[in-house]
Amino acid sequence: MAILRRIPILAAGLAQILAAAVGLVVTVSLAGTMDAGLLRGLALVLQCGVAFALTLLFRLPRWWLWIAVLFPLALQIGLSLDNLPAWPFGVAFVALALVFSNTARERVPLYLTNRATAEALAALMTEKTATRVIDLGSGLGGVVRALDGDGRVARGVETAPLSWLVSWCLSKVSGHGTILRQDLWATDLSQEDVVYAFLSPEPMPELWEKARREMKAGSHLVSNSFAVPGVEPDEVWELSDRRRTHLFIYAIKNDRTV
């Protein structure tokens, strides 16, 4: 079970395989007793339902539940369309790979920070008299561009090729922020006043240990939506945006203790 949680794409694939096996057994046993169309519909329902249940059992992040259900539906729709050319699927696969290529390795999907959160981060930096901020896993770079300027220096690191390219180009065009194609785990945090992350529950313990090792006293780690397990934040800001975003703020102490 531990390896499935470390590599969630394996768990998701196993869930689909086991669900397909259950559907096959049920449909074979019912063959000849009901209409073929109803039988195919039953197989699809079983595939989605069993995959969903197994994804819960494997304790994968919640966004994998959507994949567990939508993948069989998308596959069924694709197979049901006659004479559909293959090239759109190839283009879609390449585009998704370029955007989500780091998801399986780093267990971090693409989350985009909204404007309200960027404004809250700017207010936080003003309150803490912070001038340097880095966004770990900066996606399309919206936070970096929003925070850079007015005495603030903002950087972002991103490994997904297409996300990095888009955000790098937008940063160059706007003249705000610096986007690096760099692994967040290899990024030096020692000079940053604020380290911002909108990742997932999985990497938070490891990120906290990295922050404690590298960040200077008086700096702050800010996590969007995902708290560090077992660590009490120094502050929690609840925003008034539609998703009711919570910013968990951790002050780095002199002795690197909680």
Side-chain angles (χ1 to χ4, degrees), residues 34-85:
M34 58 190 304
D35 179 75
L38 291 176
L39 199 59
R40 286 195 297 271
L42 175 61
L44 180 60
V45 170
L46 285 172
Q47 180 76 29
C48 295
V50 174
F52 183 91
L54 289 173
T55 301
L56 280 176
L57 179 64
F58 294 151
R59 300 175 62 186
L60 296 185
R62 290 187 178 274
W63 58 277
W64 281 101
L65 297 174
W66 289 97
I67 295 177
V69 174
L70 293 178
F71 175 77
L73 292 175
L75 183 61
Q76 179 63 34
I77 292 172
L79 292 175
S80 66
L81 296 176
D82 294 330
N83 301 320
L84 189 67

mmCIF file of all heavy atoms in Angstrom, residues 34-85:
data_model
loop_
_atom_site.group_PDB
_atom_site.id
_atom_site.type_symbol
_atom_site.label_atom_id
_atom_site.label_comp_id
_atom_site.label_asym_id
_atom_site.label_seq_id
_atom_site.Cartn_x
_atom_site.Cartn_y
_atom_site.Cartn_z
ATOM 1 N N MET A 34 -29.800 -10.459 -20.650
ATOM 2 C CA MET A 34 -30.291 -9.094 -20.784
ATOM 3 C C MET A 34 -29.784 -8.499 -22.094
ATOM 4 O O MET A 34 -28.884 -9.051 -22.736
ATOM 5 C CB MET A 34 -29.837 -8.234 -19.590
ATOM 6 C CG MET A 34 -28.332 -8.166 -19.395
ATOM 7 S SD MET A 34 -27.855 -7.391 -17.805
ATOM 8 C CE MET A 34 -28.682 -5.814 -17.913
ATOM 9 N N ASP A 35 -30.386 -7.386 -22.480
ATOM 10 C CA ASP A 35 -30.038 -6.714 -23.723
ATOM 11 C C ASP A 35 -28.561 -6.326 -23.732
ATOM 12 O O ASP A 35 -27.998 -5.926 -22.709
ATOM 13 C CB ASP A 35 -30.914 -5.461 -23.874
ATOM 14 C CG ASP A 35 -30.584 -4.687 -25.139
ATOM 15 O OD1 ASP A 35 -30.971 -5.128 -26.212
ATOM 16 O OD2 ASP A 35 -29.911 -3.626 -24.999
ATOM 17 N N ALA A 36 -27.941 -6.431 -24.909
ATOM 18 C CA ALA A 36 -26.512 -6.156 -25.031
ATOM 19 C C ALA A 36 -26.180 -4.712 -24.663
ATOM 20 O O ALA A 36 -25.156 -4.438 -24.031
ATOM 21 C CB ALA A 36 -26.045 -6.454 -26.453
ATOM 22 N N GLY A 37 -27.043 -3.778 -25.041
ATOM 23 C CA GLY A 37 -26.809 -2.375 -24.693
ATOM 24 C C GLY A 37 -26.852 -2.146 -23.198
ATOM 25 O O GLY A 37 -26.009 -1.420 -22.644
ATOM 26 N N LEU A 38 -27.819 -2.767 -22.527
ATOM 27 C CA LEU A 38 -27.889 -2.654 -21.068
ATOM 28 C C LEU A 38 -26.683 -3.297 -20.416
ATOM 29 O O LEU A 38 -26.177 -2.802 -19.398
ATOM 30 C CB LEU A 38 -29.181 -3.300 -20.558
ATOM 31 C CG LEU A 38 -30.490 -2.592 -20.898
ATOM 32 C CD1 LEU A 38 -31.681 -3.418 -20.402
ATOM 33 C CD2 LEU A 38 -30.509 -1.197 -20.281
ATOM 34 N N LEU A 39 -26.211 -4.372 -20.995
ATOM 35 C CA LEU A 39 -25.048 -5.068 -20.440
ATOM 36 C C LEU A 39 -23.800 -4.181 -20.542
ATOM 37 O O LEU A 39 -23.002 -4.115 -19.602
ATOM 38 C CB LEU A 39 -24.837 -6.384 -21.183
ATOM 39 C CG LEU A 39 -23.985 -7.452 -20.479
ATOM 40 C CD1 LEU A 39 -24.598 -7.817 -19.139
ATOM 41 C CD2 LEU A 39 -23.855 -8.678 -21.361
ATOM 42 N N ARG A 40 -23.656 -3.495 -21.676
ATOM 43 C CA ARG A 40 -22.522 -2.581 -21.812
ATOM 44 C C ARG A 40 -22.627 -1.415 -20.822
ATOM 45 O O ARG A 40 -21.626 -0.982 -20.245
ATOM 46 C CB ARG A 40 -22.441 -2.048 -23.245
ATOM 47 C CG ARG A 40 -21.935 -3.067 -24.260
ATOM 48 C CD ARG A 40 -21.542 -2.396 -25.552
ATOM 49 N NE ARG A 40 -22.698 -1.763 -26.190
ATOM 50 C CZ ARG A 40 -23.511 -2.366 -27.052
ATOM 51 N NH1 ARG A 40 -23.289 -3.639 -27.389
ATOM 52 N NH2 ARG A 40 -24.518 -1.711 -27.595
ATOM 53 N N GLY A 41 -23.858 -0.923 -20.641
ATOM 54 C CA GLY A 41 -24.062 0.148 -19.666
ATOM 55 C C GLY A 41 -23.732 -0.305 -18.260
ATOM 56 O O GLY A 41 -23.117 0.433 -17.483
ATOM 57 N N LEU A 42 -24.123 -1.542 -17.921
ATOM 58 C CA LEU A 42 -23.817 -2.089 -16.601
ATOM 59 C C LEU A 42 -22.310 -2.226 -16.414
ATOM 60 O O LEU A 42 -21.768 -1.907 -15.342
ATOM 61 C CB LEU A 42 -24.489 -3.451 -16.431
ATOM 62 C CG LEU A 42 -24.173 -4.204 -15.138
ATOM 63 C CD1 LEU A 42 -24.621 -3.401 -13.917
ATOM 64 C CD2 LEU A 42 -24.821 -5.589 -15.148
ATOM 65 N N ALA A 43 -21.623 -2.671 -17.464
ATOM 66 C CA ALA A 43 -20.164 -2.818 -17.378
ATOM 67 C C ALA A 43 -19.502 -1.469 -17.125
ATOM 68 O O ALA A 43 -18.562 -1.360 -16.326
ATOM 69 C CB ALA A 43 -19.630 -3.447 -18.662
ATOM 70 N N LEU A 44 -20.011 -0.420 -17.782
ATOM 71 C CA LEU A 44 -19.435 0.909 -17.593
ATOM 72 C C LEU A 44 -19.684 1.415 -16.175
ATOM 73 O O LEU A 44 -18.776 1.984 -15.538
ATOM 74 C CB LEU A 44 -20.027 1.884 -18.614
ATOM 75 C CG LEU A 44 -19.518 3.329 -18.549
ATOM 76 C CD1 LEU A 44 -18.010 3.371 -18.781
ATOM 77 C CD2 LEU A 44 -20.242 4.192 -19.576
ATOM 78 N N VAL A 45 -20.885 1.202 -15.677
ATOM 79 C CA VAL A 45 -21.203 1.622 -14.303
ATOM 80 C C VAL A 45 -20.314 0.896 -13.301
ATOM 81 O O VAL A 45 -19.790 1.494 -12.350
ATOM 82 C CB VAL A 45 -22.691 1.378 -13.997
ATOM 83 C CG1 VAL A 45 -22.975 1.583 -12.513
ATOM 84 C CG2 VAL A 45 -23.563 2.321 -14.821
ATOM 85 N N LEU A 46 -20.134 -0.403 -13.505
ATOM 86 C CA LEU A 46 -19.271 -1.173 -12.619
ATOM 87 C C LEU A 46 -17.830 -0.684 -12.685
ATOM 88 O O LEU A 46 -17.146 -0.573 -11.652
ATOM 89 C CB LEU A 46 -19.334 -2.656 -12.980
ATOM 90 C CG LEU A 46 -20.600 -3.411 -12.572
ATOM 91 C CD1 LEU A 46 -20.599 -4.810 -13.169
ATOM 92 C CD2 LEU A 46 -20.704 -3.487 -11.060
ATOM 93 N N GLN A 47 -17.346 -0.401 -13.891
ATOM 94 C CA GLN A 47 -15.980 0.085 -14.054
ATOM 95 C C GLN A 47 -15.779 1.375 -13.263
ATOM 96 O O GLN A 47 -14.808 1.514 -12.511
ATOM 97 C CB GLN A 47 -15.684 0.324 -15.534
ATOM 98 C CG GLN A 47 -14.289 0.833 -15.824
ATOM 99 C CD GLN A 47 -13.227 -0.244 -15.738
ATOM 100 O OE1 GLN A 47 -13.511 -1.412 -15.984
ATOM 101 N NE2 GLN A 47 -12.005 0.121 -15.395
ATOM 102 N N CYS A 48 -16.696 2.315 -13.429
ATOM 103 C CA CYS A 48 -16.579 3.598 -12.728
ATOM 104 C C CYS A 48 -16.713 3.423 -11.220
ATOM 105 O O CYS A 48 -15.927 3.974 -10.435
ATOM 106 C CB CYS A 48 -17.634 4.581 -13.235
ATOM 107 S SG CYS A 48 -17.452 5.068 -14.962
ATOM 108 N N GLY A 49 -17.719 2.644 -10.801
ATOM 109 C CA GLY A 49 -17.991 2.491 -9.372
ATOM 110 C C GLY A 49 -16.885 1.764 -8.627
ATOM 111 O O GLY A 49 -16.451 2.197 -7.554
ATOM 112 N N VAL A 50 -16.408 0.669 -9.195
ATOM 113 C CA VAL A 50 -15.354 -0.112 -8.528
ATOM 114 C C VAL A 50 -14.040 0.670 -8.522
ATOM 115 O O VAL A 50 -13.310 0.679 -7.522
ATOM 116 C CB VAL A 50 -15.181 -1.480 -9.211
ATOM 117 C CG1 VAL A 50 -13.993 -2.227 -8.615
ATOM 118 C CG2 VAL A 50 -16.450 -2.306 -9.054
ATOM 119 N N ALA A 51 -13.726 1.334 -9.629
ATOM 120 C CA ALA A 51 -12.499 2.143 -9.675
ATOM 121 C C ALA A 51 -12.556 3.262 -8.642
ATOM 122 O O ALA A 51 -11.563 3.557 -7.969
ATOM 123 C CB ALA A 51 -12.299 2.716 -11.074
ATOM 124 N N PHE A 52 -13.721 3.885 -8.505
ATOM 125 C CA PHE A 52 -13.902 4.939 -7.497
ATOM 126 C C PHE A 52 -13.683 4.384 -6.090
ATOM 127 O O PHE A 52 -12.961 4.974 -5.273
ATOM 128 C CB PHE A 52 -15.308 5.525 -7.622
ATOM 129 C CG PHE A 52 -15.600 6.670 -6.693
ATOM 130 C CD1 PHE A 52 -15.359 7.973 -7.088
ATOM 131 C CD2 PHE A 52 -16.113 6.449 -5.423
ATOM 132 C CE1 PHE A 52 -15.621 9.037 -6.233
ATOM 133 C CE2 PHE A 52 -16.373 7.497 -4.559
ATOM 134 C CZ PHE A 52 -16.127 8.796 -4.962
ATOM 135 N N ALA A 53 -14.297 3.227 -5.797
ATOM 136 C CA ALA A 53 -14.173 2.628 -4.467
ATOM 137 C C ALA A 53 -12.732 2.234 -4.158
ATOM 138 O O ALA A 53 -12.239 2.444 -3.043
ATOM 139 C CB ALA A 53 -15.094 1.408 -4.365
ATOM 140 N N LEU A 54 -12.036 1.672 -5.149
ATOM 141 C CA LEU A 54 -10.647 1.267 -4.931
ATOM 142 C C LEU A 54 -9.736 2.481 -4.760
ATOM 143 O O LEU A 54 -8.779 2.439 -3.973
ATOM 144 C CB LEU A 54 -10.165 0.410 -6.095
ATOM 145 C CG LEU A 54 -10.775 -0.993 -6.177
ATOM 146 C CD1 LEU A 54 -10.364 -1.689 -7.457
ATOM 147 C CD2 LEU A 54 -10.365 -1.829 -4.963
ATOM 148 N N THR A 55 -10.031 3.559 -5.465
ATOM 149 C CA THR A 55 -9.245 4.784 -5.294
ATOM 150 C C THR A 55 -9.392 5.314 -3.877
ATOM 151 O O THR A 55 -8.426 5.780 -3.265
ATOM 152 C CB THR A 55 -9.693 5.846 -6.317
ATOM 153 O OG1 THR A 55 -9.518 5.329 -7.636
ATOM 154 C CG2 THR A 55 -8.865 7.117 -6.180
ATOM 155 N N LEU A 56 -10.610 5.225 -3.340
ATOM 156 C CA LEU A 56 -10.819 5.586 -1.931
ATOM 157 C C LEU A 56 -10.048 4.649 -1.010
ATOM 158 O O LEU A 56 -9.415 5.087 -0.039
ATOM 159 C CB LEU A 56 -12.313 5.528 -1.591
ATOM 160 C CG LEU A 56 -13.182 6.711 -1.998
ATOM 161 C CD1 LEU A 56 -14.642 6.416 -1.653
ATOM 162 C CD2 LEU A 56 -12.740 7.995 -1.289
ATOM 163 N N LEU A 57 -10.108 3.355 -1.311
ATOM 164 C CA LEU A 57 -9.432 2.354 -0.476
ATOM 165 C C LEU A 57 -7.925 2.585 -0.466
ATOM 166 O O LEU A 57 -7.270 2.436 0.578
ATOM 167 C CB LEU A 57 -9.740 0.948 -0.993
ATOM 168 C CG LEU A 57 -9.082 -0.217 -0.246
ATOM 169 C CD1 LEU A 57 -9.591 -0.300 1.191
ATOM 170 C CD2 LEU A 57 -9.358 -1.537 -0.970
ATOM 171 N N PHE A 58 -7.367 2.963 -1.615
ATOM 172 C CA PHE A 58 -5.930 3.216 -1.705
ATOM 173 C C PHE A 58 -5.542 4.555 -1.094
ATOM 174 O O PHE A 58 -4.355 4.888 -1.037
ATOM 175 C CB PHE A 58 -5.480 3.172 -3.164
ATOM 176 C CG PHE A 58 -5.590 1.818 -3.814
ATOM 177 C CD1 PHE A 58 -5.807 1.708 -5.184
ATOM 178 C CD2 PHE A 58 -5.488 0.658 -3.059
ATOM 179 C CE1 PHE A 58 -5.901 0.457 -5.788
ATOM 180 C CE2 PHE A 58 -5.590 -0.599 -3.652
ATOM 181 C CZ PHE A 58 -5.796 -0.689 -5.020
ATOM 182 N N ARG A 59 -6.535 5.319 -0.686
ATOM 183 C CA ARG A 59 -6.309 6.613 -0.016
ATOM 184 C C ARG A 59 -5.501 7.580 -0.881
ATOM 185 O O ARG A 59 -4.609 8.281 -0.416
ATOM 186 C CB ARG A 59 -5.635 6.402 1.338
ATOM 187 C CG ARG A 59 -6.443 5.551 2.306
ATOM 188 C CD ARG A 59 -5.693 5.270 3.579
ATOM 189 N NE ARG A 59 -5.401 6.514 4.288
ATOM 190 C CZ ARG A 59 -4.642 6.596 5.382
ATOM 191 N NH1 ARG A 59 -4.070 5.499 5.861
ATOM 192 N NH2 ARG A 59 -4.421 7.750 5.968
ATOM 193 N N LEU A 60 -5.854 7.621 -2.145
ATOM 194 C CA LEU A 60 -5.223 8.577 -3.048
ATOM 195 C C LEU A 60 -5.839 9.959 -2.840
ATOM 196 O O LEU A 60 -6.949 10.073 -2.322
ATOM 197 C CB LEU A 60 -5.411 8.142 -4.501
ATOM 198 C CG LEU A 60 -4.757 6.820 -4.911
ATOM 199 C CD1 LEU A 60 -4.926 6.600 -6.407
ATOM 200 C CD2 LEU A 60 -3.295 6.780 -4.534
ATOM 201 N N PRO A 61 -5.137 11.022 -3.217
ATOM 202 C CA PRO A 61 -5.718 12.362 -3.135
ATOM 203 C C PRO A 61 -7.047 12.431 -3.873
ATOM 204 O O PRO A 61 -7.279 11.718 -4.858
ATOM 205 C CB PRO A 61 -4.660 13.249 -3.811
ATOM 206 C CG PRO A 61 -3.381 12.508 -3.604
ATOM 207 C CD PRO A 61 -3.737 11.056 -3.688
ATOM 208 N N ARG A 62 -7.905 13.333 -3.423
ATOM 209 C CA ARG A 62 -9.278 13.376 -3.917
ATOM 210 C C ARG A 62 -9.380 13.601 -5.415
ATOM 211 O O ARG A 62 -10.324 13.126 -6.063
ATOM 212 C CB ARG A 62 -10.072 14.453 -3.174
ATOM 213 C CG ARG A 62 -10.345 14.094 -1.721
ATOM 214 C CD ARG A 62 -11.274 15.094 -1.073
ATOM 215 N NE ARG A 62 -11.566 14.704 0.300
ATOM 216 C CZ ARG A 62 -12.521 13.868 0.657
ATOM 217 N NH1 ARG A 62 -13.281 13.324 -0.280
ATOM 218 N NH2 ARG A 62 -12.719 13.574 1.922
ATOM 219 N N TRP A 63 -8.418 14.337 -5.989
ATOM 220 C CA TRP A 63 -8.537 14.601 -7.418
ATOM 221 C C TRP A 63 -8.396 13.353 -8.250
ATOM 222 O O TRP A 63 -8.847 13.302 -9.399
ATOM 223 C CB TRP A 63 -7.550 15.677 -7.868
ATOM 224 C CG TRP A 63 -6.113 15.396 -7.604
ATOM 225 C CD1 TRP A 63 -5.438 15.596 -6.440
ATOM 226 C CD2 TRP A 63 -5.161 14.861 -8.525
ATOM 227 N NE1 TRP A 63 -4.121 15.228 -6.578
ATOM 228 C CE2 TRP A 63 -3.924 14.792 -7.838
ATOM 229 C CE3 TRP A 63 -5.230 14.474 -9.863
ATOM 230 C CZ2 TRP A 63 -2.767 14.316 -8.453
ATOM 231 C CZ3 TRP A 63 -4.075 13.995 -10.470
ATOM 232 C CH2 TRP A 63 -2.871 13.918 -9.771
ATOM 233 N N TRP A 64 -7.793 12.268 -7.705
ATOM 234 C CA TRP A 64 -7.727 10.991 -8.423
ATOM 235 C C TRP A 64 -9.104 10.336 -8.524
ATOM 236 O O TRP A 64 -9.326 9.489 -9.407
ATOM 237 C CB TRP A 64 -6.751 10.049 -7.733
ATOM 238 C CG TRP A 64 -5.321 10.347 -8.032
ATOM 239 C CD1 TRP A 64 -4.428 11.007 -7.238
ATOM 240 C CD2 TRP A 64 -4.597 10.012 -9.219
ATOM 241 N NE1 TRP A 64 -3.206 11.116 -7.842
ATOM 242 C CE2 TRP A 64 -3.274 10.511 -9.066
ATOM 243 C CE3 TRP A 64 -4.927 9.349 -10.404
ATOM 244 C CZ2 TRP A 64 -2.300 10.348 -10.050
ATOM 245 C CZ3 TRP A 64 -3.951 9.196 -11.385
ATOM 246 C CH2 TRP A 64 -2.669 9.688 -11.194
ATOM 247 N N LEU A 65 -10.036 10.697 -7.636
ATOM 248 C CA LEU A 65 -11.395 10.149 -7.717
ATOM 249 C C LEU A 65 -12.063 10.582 -9.023
ATOM 250 O O LEU A 65 -12.805 9.801 -9.638
ATOM 251 C CB LEU A 65 -12.218 10.608 -6.514
ATOM 252 C CG LEU A 65 -11.732 10.127 -5.146
ATOM 253 C CD1 LEU A 65 -12.546 10.775 -4.035
ATOM 254 C CD2 LEU A 65 -11.819 8.609 -5.043
ATOM 255 N N TRP A 66 -11.822 11.823 -9.422
ATOM 256 C CA TRP A 66 -12.374 12.297 -10.691
ATOM 257 C C TRP A 66 -11.807 11.490 -11.856
ATOM 258 O O TRP A 66 -12.542 11.109 -12.782
ATOM 259 C CB TRP A 66 -12.054 13.782 -10.874
ATOM 260 C CG TRP A 66 -12.815 14.687 -9.956
ATOM 261 C CD1 TRP A 66 -12.389 15.212 -8.767
ATOM 262 C CD2 TRP A 66 -14.153 15.168 -10.140
ATOM 263 N NE1 TRP A 66 -13.362 15.990 -8.196
ATOM 264 C CE2 TRP A 66 -14.461 15.987 -9.022
ATOM 265 C CE3 TRP A 66 -15.103 14.995 -11.138
ATOM 266 C CZ2 TRP A 66 -15.688 16.619 -8.881
ATOM 267 C CZ3 TRP A 66 -16.328 15.629 -10.998
ATOM 268 C CH2 TRP A 66 -16.611 16.427 -9.899
ATOM 269 N N ILE A 67 -10.512 11.235 -11.803
ATOM 270 C CA ILE A 67 -9.887 10.461 -12.879
ATOM 271 C C ILE A 67 -10.459 9.049 -12.910
ATOM 272 O O ILE A 67 -10.708 8.488 -13.997
ATOM 273 C CB ILE A 67 -8.363 10.429 -12.689
ATOM 274 C CG1 ILE A 67 -7.785 11.839 -12.840
ATOM 275 C CG2 ILE A 67 -7.699 9.474 -13.687
ATOM 276 C CD1 ILE A 67 -6.302 11.929 -12.601
ATOM 277 N N ALA A 68 -10.679 8.454 -11.737
ATOM 278 C CA ALA A 68 -11.199 7.089 -11.663
ATOM 279 C C ALA A 68 -12.532 6.962 -12.393
ATOM 280 O O ALA A 68 -12.826 5.927 -13.015
ATOM 281 C CB ALA A 68 -11.362 6.672 -10.196
ATOM 282 N N VAL A 69 -13.353 7.996 -12.322
ATOM 283 C CA VAL A 69 -14.676 7.953 -12.945
ATOM 284 C C VAL A 69 -14.635 8.451 -14.387
ATOM 285 O O VAL A 69 -15.256 7.857 -15.284
ATOM 286 C CB VAL A 69 -15.681 8.791 -12.128
ATOM 287 C CG1 VAL A 69 -17.026 8.875 -12.843
ATOM 288 C CG2 VAL A 69 -15.862 8.186 -10.742
ATOM 289 N N LEU A 70 -13.910 9.519 -14.638
ATOM 290 C CA LEU A 70 -13.937 10.142 -15.961
ATOM 291 C C LEU A 70 -13.146 9.355 -17.009
ATOM 292 O O LEU A 70 -13.487 9.402 -18.193
ATOM 293 C CB LEU A 70 -13.398 11.568 -15.870
ATOM 294 C CG LEU A 70 -14.262 12.542 -15.065
ATOM 295 C CD1 LEU A 70 -13.601 13.916 -15.003
ATOM 296 C CD2 LEU A 70 -15.661 12.653 -15.665
ATOM 297 N N PHE A 71 -12.095 8.640 -16.580
ATOM 298 C CA PHE A 71 -11.305 7.889 -17.555
ATOM 299 C C PHE A 71 -12.136 6.829 -18.287
ATOM 300 O O PHE A 71 -12.125 6.781 -19.532
ATOM 301 C CB PHE A 71 -10.094 7.239 -16.874
ATOM 302 C CG PHE A 71 -9.289 6.351 -17.787
ATOM 303 C CD1 PHE A 71 -8.425 6.903 -18.720
ATOM 304 C CD2 PHE A 71 -9.412 4.972 -17.727
ATOM 305 C CE1 PHE A 71 -7.692 6.090 -19.571
ATOM 306 C CE2 PHE A 71 -8.688 4.153 -18.575
ATOM 307 C CZ PHE A 71 -7.827 4.710 -19.500
ATOM 308 N N PRO A 72 -12.899 5.971 -17.586
ATOM 309 C CA PRO A 72 -13.717 4.993 -18.319
ATOM 310 C C PRO A 72 -14.780 5.659 -19.186
ATOM 311 O O PRO A 72 -15.063 5.179 -20.297
ATOM 312 C CB PRO A 72 -14.368 4.158 -17.199
ATOM 313 C CG PRO A 72 -13.517 4.370 -16.010
ATOM 314 C CD PRO A 72 -13.003 5.761 -16.126
ATOM 315 N N LEU A 73 -15.369 6.761 -18.708
ATOM 316 C CA LEU A 73 -16.377 7.458 -19.505
ATOM 317 C C LEU A 73 -15.773 8.015 -20.786
ATOM 318 O O LEU A 73 -16.352 7.881 -21.875
ATOM 319 C CB LEU A 73 -17.007 8.583 -18.685
ATOM 320 C CG LEU A 73 -17.880 8.158 -17.505
ATOM 321 C CD1 LEU A 73 -18.326 9.383 -16.716
ATOM 322 C CD2 LEU A 73 -19.090 7.370 -17.990
ATOM 323 N N ALA A 74 -14.611 8.648 -20.678
ATOM 324 C CA ALA A 74 -13.955 9.215 -21.854
ATOM 325 C C ALA A 74 -13.565 8.118 -22.835
ATOM 326 O O ALA A 74 -13.700 8.277 -24.065
ATOM 327 C CB ALA A 74 -12.731 10.005 -21.422
ATOM 328 N N LEU A 75 -13.084 6.999 -22.310
ATOM 329 C CA LEU A 75 -12.697 5.889 -23.179
ATOM 330 C C LEU A 75 -13.906 5.337 -23.924
ATOM 331 O O LEU A 75 -13.838 5.069 -25.124
ATOM 332 C CB LEU A 75 -12.037 4.792 -22.345
ATOM 333 C CG LEU A 75 -11.496 3.584 -23.114
ATOM 334 C CD1 LEU A 75 -10.411 4.027 -24.092
ATOM 335 C CD2 LEU A 75 -10.959 2.535 -22.154
ATOM 336 N N GLN A 76 -15.030 5.200 -23.219
ATOM 337 C CA GLN A 76 -16.244 4.690 -23.843
ATOM 338 C C GLN A 76 -16.745 5.631 -24.925
ATOM 339 O O GLN A 76 -17.152 5.204 -26.014
ATOM 340 C CB GLN A 76 -17.326 4.500 -22.778
ATOM 341 C CG GLN A 76 -18.659 3.983 -23.316
ATOM 342 C CD GLN A 76 -18.540 2.610 -23.939
ATOM 343 O OE1 GLN A 76 -17.748 1.793 -23.485
ATOM 344 N NE2 GLN A 76 -19.305 2.349 -24.986
ATOM 345 N N ILE A 77 -16.703 6.937 -24.649
ATOM 346 C CA ILE A 77 -17.145 7.919 -25.647
ATOM 347 C C ILE A 77 -16.247 7.861 -26.880
ATOM 348 O O ILE A 77 -16.720 7.885 -28.022
ATOM 349 C CB ILE A 77 -17.146 9.333 -25.042
ATOM 350 C CG1 ILE A 77 -18.247 9.439 -23.973
ATOM 351 C CG2 ILE A 77 -17.359 10.390 -26.120
ATOM 352 C CD1 ILE A 77 -18.203 10.730 -23.189
ATOM 353 N N GLY A 78 -14.940 7.772 -26.647
ATOM 354 C CA GLY A 78 -14.008 7.695 -27.763
ATOM 355 C C GLY A 78 -14.236 6.465 -28.622
ATOM 356 O O GLY A 78 -14.204 6.539 -29.863
ATOM 357 N N LEU A 79 -14.498 5.318 -28.004
ATOM 358 C CA LEU A 79 -14.714 4.081 -28.750
ATOM 359 C C LEU A 79 -16.039 4.078 -29.496
ATOM 360 O O LEU A 79 -16.197 3.382 -30.504
ATOM 361 C CB LEU A 79 -14.650 2.882 -27.798
ATOM 362 C CG LEU A 79 -13.269 2.582 -27.186
ATOM 363 C CD1 LEU A 79 -13.375 1.463 -26.168
ATOM 364 C CD2 LEU A 79 -12.260 2.227 -28.272
ATOM 365 N N SER A 80 -17.005 4.860 -28.995
ATOM 366 C CA SER A 80 -18.329 4.863 -29.608
ATOM 367 C C SER A 80 -18.423 5.779 -30.825
ATOM 368 O O SER A 80 -19.391 5.723 -31.580
ATOM 369 C CB SER A 80 -19.380 5.289 -28.581
ATOM 370 O OG SER A 80 -19.187 6.644 -28.191
ATOM 371 N N LEU A 81 -17.420 6.642 -31.021
ATOM 372 C CA LEU A 81 -17.440 7.562 -32.153
ATOM 373 C C LEU A 81 -16.826 6.892 -33.378
ATOM 374 O O LEU A 81 -15.696 6.422 -33.351
ATOM 375 C CB LEU A 81 -16.658 8.831 -31.811
ATOM 376 C CG LEU A 81 -17.241 9.680 -30.662
ATOM 377 C CD1 LEU A 81 -16.312 10.843 -30.358
ATOM 378 C CD2 LEU A 81 -18.629 10.193 -31.019
ATOM 379 N N ASP A 82 -17.597 6.847 -34.444
ATOM 380 C CA ASP A 82 -17.127 6.193 -35.674
ATOM 381 C C ASP A 82 -16.282 7.145 -36.518
ATOM 382 O O ASP A 82 -16.540 8.350 -36.588
ATOM 383 C CB ASP A 82 -18.326 5.731 -36.512
ATOM 384 C CG ASP A 82 -19.109 4.627 -35.810
ATOM 385 O OD1 ASP A 82 -18.485 3.858 -35.057
ATOM 386 O OD2 ASP A 82 -20.345 4.563 -36.009
ATOM 387 N N ASN A 83 -15.274 6.583 -37.151
ATOM 388 C CA ASN A 83 -14.448 7.321 -38.114
ATOM 389 C C ASN A 83 -13.801 8.576 -37.523
ATOM 390 O O ASN A 83 -13.585 9.568 -38.222
ATOM 391 C CB ASN A 83 -15.281 7.715 -39.335
ATOM 392 C CG ASN A 83 -15.868 6.510 -40.047
ATOM 393 O OD1 ASN A 83 -15.203 5.480 -40.187
ATOM 394 N ND2 ASN A 83 -17.113 6.624 -40.483
ATOM 395 N N LEU A 84 -13.512 8.541 -36.255
ATOM 396 C CA LEU A 84 -12.843 9.684 -35.633
ATOM 397 C C LEU A 84 -11.346 9.576 -35.902
ATOM 398 O O LEU A 84 -10.738 8.539 -35.623
ATOM 399 C CB LEU A 84 -13.098 9.700 -34.128
ATOM 400 C CG LEU A 84 -12.643 10.951 -33.374
ATOM 401 C CD1 LEU A 84 -13.470 12.148 -33.792
ATOM 402 C CD2 LEU A 84 -12.766 10.727 -31.861
ATOM 403 N N PRO A 85 -10.709 10.609 -36.461
ATOM 404 C CA PRO A 85 -9.273 10.521 -36.748
ATOM 405 C C PRO A 85 -8.459 10.381 -35.473
ATOM 406 O O PRO A 85 -8.860 10.838 -34.401
ATOM 407 C CB PRO A 85 -8.978 11.841 -37.464
ATOM 408 C CG PRO A 85 -10.075 12.773 -37.052
ATOM 409 C CD PRO A 85 -11.295 11.907 -36.858
#
